[in-house]
Every structure is written in C-alpha cells, then in structure tokens.
Amino acid sequence: MPFRVLATVSKVAYMLDMCVELSHIHSTFHVSKFQKCLVDDTSVVLLDDIQVDERLNFVEKPVATLDRKMKALRKKVIPLVKVQWNHQKGSEWTWEHESEMHEHYPDLFTAEDFEDEI
C-alpha cells in the first residue's frame, strides 16, 4: 500500500501519511524499510485482512491439515502434521508438531483424523 511522504526528517528518514487504522504505528521510517511500489492489483493486501497481535506481529492462521507423518529420531518418534496456512500472498504449508497444533488450534482436528489410530 503506497503512503504519501509528509516530511523529510533527515537524508535517510521520512515521515509518512498513515491511515487511521495504522495510527498506533510510529510514522517515521528509515529508507531501508521502503520498497519501490509498482501498482499490481494482485499484490494488494487489504488492511481488514491483516491481523496483528499486541506486539504488532503478523498473525497467520492455519486453514487445514493436509497430511500426517511420524518423524523418527534416535530415541523417540515425533508426530507431525502438514498444515496449510492462510498466508498474505497466497497459501503455503509447513510441517508442525501435532501436539502443538492440537493445543493451539483444536478446531483443525476432527474425529475422522484419528480413525486410523483406534
């Protein structure tokens, strides 16, 4: 999202015109944080679609579990799940610890997921 430059603070810092939704973020940035903006409708991310936590970190939520596997180490076996994430630039997946995903996102797991273990 392009922002208008309000003032030049120094040779390498600029104050930007931030929208109301981002008013809690400091408006002065170093030039190293800027990127050239070429208008491309497919790369636009709406502010309503972005969720941040209290530390202003981007919050990604899992969409579904795609697969399961057991990772064998020397003395133990770790159950993993392949998780599809709702990423800001499309969908991506990662292998995560099943216990952690079950703890943080229990709604991802249904009774059918565990039929083969019974």
Side-chain angles (χ1 to χ4, degrees):
M1 172 182 298
F3 296 102
R4 191 168 51 93
V5 176
L6 290 178
T8 302
V9 178
S10 70
K11 288 183 179 182
V12 293
Y14 294 90
M15 182 178 290
L16 302 180
D17 182 19
M18 306 293 278
C19 56
V20 177
E21 292 89 358
L22 299 176
S23 62
H24 60 283
I25 297 174
H26 189 65
S27 62
T28 303
F29 294 90
H30 189 271
V31 293
S32 66
K33 300 298 178 193
F34 294 156
Q35 294 180 359
K36 186 175 183 177
C37 179
L38 300 175
V39 179
D40 179 13
D41 292 337
T42 60
S43 65
V44 173
V45 178
L46 300 175
L47 290 177
D48 297 337
D49 296 339
I50 298 175
Q51 295 181 359
V52 294
D53 61 12
E54 62 280 348
R55 291 182 161 184
L56 300 178
N57 293 321
F58 179 69
V59 177
E60 288 183 315
K61 293 193 176 180
V63 177
T65 56
L66 304 175
D67 196 8
R68 298 174 69 203
K69 73 176 181 181
M70 302 300 256
K71 173 88 175 183
L73 302 176
R74 290 185 183 189
K75 295 186 179 184
K76 64 180 179 178
V77 177
I78 301 173
L80 299 174
V81 288
K82 186 176 181 180
V83 179
Q84 180 179 4
W85 296 92
N86 185 13
H87 192 57
Q88 59 183 332
K89 291 193 176 185
S91 200
E92 69 175 29
W93 59 267
T94 58
W95 286 99
E96 303 289 339
H97 288 261
E98 185 175 321
S99 59
E100 290 178 11
M101 294 305 295
H102 210 326
E103 179 183 332
H104 296 292
Y105 307 102
D107 54 316
L108 280 180
F109 300 91
T110 62
E112 292 86 30
D113 292 337
F114 299 101
E115 281 183 355
D116 58 341
E117 294 181 1
I118 298 174

